[in-house]
Amino acid sequence: MPLEPRATALAAALVALSVLAAVEAEGAPSGKVDAVSGSGMAAVPAGTFSPPFRDPEPADSGARRVAVPAFRVDIRAVSTAEFLTFVRTHARYRKSAIPALFADSGYLRTWKDDLQPDALTLNAPVTAVSWHAAKAYCAAQGKRLPTTSEWERVAATRPADMDSATHLRAILAWYARSSGTDTPRFGSGTRHAFGVRDLHGVVWEWTSDYNAWSAGGVNRRGVKEEGLFCGGASARAAPDTDYATYMRWAFRSSLKPHYTVAALGFRCAADL
């Protein structure tokens, strides 16, 4: 039997209050599946993030704030097993078939052939995937790559039970670690609000507009690019910009859509 209007309104109010409490906490996981055991998506409320640089004009004396609408994002990165399922049904993105325009020669470099990745990596993040292939995978799932703003919005958060100093130490520890041959593991990286895992500490990740902040001269975000990532860039750094953040943005600025990197993977997002 349908609820009476008063009961329906009460139920809606209770739901709204519960959502508001989760948003204010910025630490309650909204994804239903743990990042270690399986896939799932987390709902991220609207918010802001601060790019790690300022405009060189004198009037711009502090960090700018970029508004980020609400969205959904995968709790963890896409696994090798999931990407294998994709290439089984999308032959164009197999190792032997993908056009050179879409991926360089390092694409899926550890796979023995088109449908045979290293068995040890099946339940680990897929890497050595180009932007084109990552974008196509997400589209096939009815999703998309997260924007840089969305990715940074979540990456800047931490779970409610962790203080900011501990969270930053965990991030910096990964950036300071020398690259090795160990297979990256889900759940071995940082924890974030909304139940999201591993934005730092496991692999680098593609974003949909990874190069939108550095396209030469005045880039597509309207920020003057000169000196962003050179020796004099400290004058452009926003207050409290840490080493890890600076490295991450410099890495993104070096990428091209057909590039593949041994420690570069991706996760998907969707509109909310």
Side-chain angles (χ1 to χ4, degrees):
M1 179 180 297
L3 291 174
E4 294 181 1
R6 183 176 300 175
T8 302
L10 177 59
L14 290 173
V15 170
L17 286 172
S18 65
V19 171
L20 179 60
V23 170
E24 291 178 344
E26 287 263 317
S30 55
K32 297 181 181 300
V33 184
D34 185 78
V36 179
S37 61
S39 61
M41 298 194 82
V44 181
T48 62
F49 94 100
S50 296
F53 45 79
R54 323 178 267 197
D55 218 18
E57 303 301 326
D60 186 9
S61 59
R64 60 176 63 209
R65 306 289 294 180
V66 176
V68 183
F71 66 101
R72 292 184 297 141
V73 67
D74 287 349
I75 291 174
R76 60 156 172 79
V78 173
S79 72
T80 299
E82 290 164 339
F83 198 77
L84 174 60
T85 299
F86 167 70
V87 298
R88 287 187 188 278
T89 56
H90 295 76
R92 185 183 189 186
Y93 293 94
R94 293 179 184 178
K95 184 174 181 177
S96 67
I98 193 166
L101 183 64
F102 284 4
D104 63 25
S105 60
Y107 181 69
L108 300 177
R109 65 195 66 185
T110 64
W111 292 37
K112 297 176 182 178
D113 59 33
D114 285 346
L115 302 176
Q116 192 176 2
D118 186 332
L120 294 176
T121 69
L122 286 174
N123 293 316
V126 66
T127 58
V129 175
S130 69
W131 177 87
H132 292 290
K135 180 182 177 183
Y137 173 93
C138 291
Q141 317 308 312
K143 305 178 186 179
R144 57 175 173 77
L145 286 171
T147 65
T148 300
S149 298
E150 290 170 340
W151 197 97
E152 292 288 341
R153 154 87 171 105
V154 183
T157 68
R158 64 183 190 278
D161 62 351
M162 181 178 291
D163 62 80
S164 59
T166 301
H167 188 65
L168 180 58
R169 281 197 298 271
I171 295 172
L172 292 174
W174 182 62
Y175 281 82
R177 191 184 313 152
S178 60
S179 58
T181 57
D182 293 340
T183 301
R185 295 181 294 108
F186 287 128
S188 62
T190 50
R191 294 186 294 128
H192 301 274
F194 322 115
V196 178
R197 291 297 304 263
D198 301 338
L199 288 172
H200 307 288
V202 180
V203 295
W204 302 91
E205 295 186 11
W206 283 108
T207 60
S208 63
D209 57 346
Y210 65 92
N211 60 353
W213 299 84
S214 54
V218 176
N219 61 40
R220 289 188 291 167
R221 294 293 182 184
V223 179
K224 293 182 180 179
E225 184 191 26
E226 291 89 345
L228 278 181
F229 303 112
C230 68
S234 59
R236 298 283 308 280
D240 301 322
T241 299
D242 59 74
Y243 169 80
T245 299
Y246 204 68
M247 284 290 293
R248 184 167 66 253
W249 284 76
F251 173 72
R252 286 195 191 111
S253 74
S254 72
L255 294 172
K256 293 184 178 180
H258 68 290
Y259 280 10
T260 64
V261 179
L264 177 58
F266 68 99
R267 71 182 68 207
C268 302
D271 296 338
L272 188 61

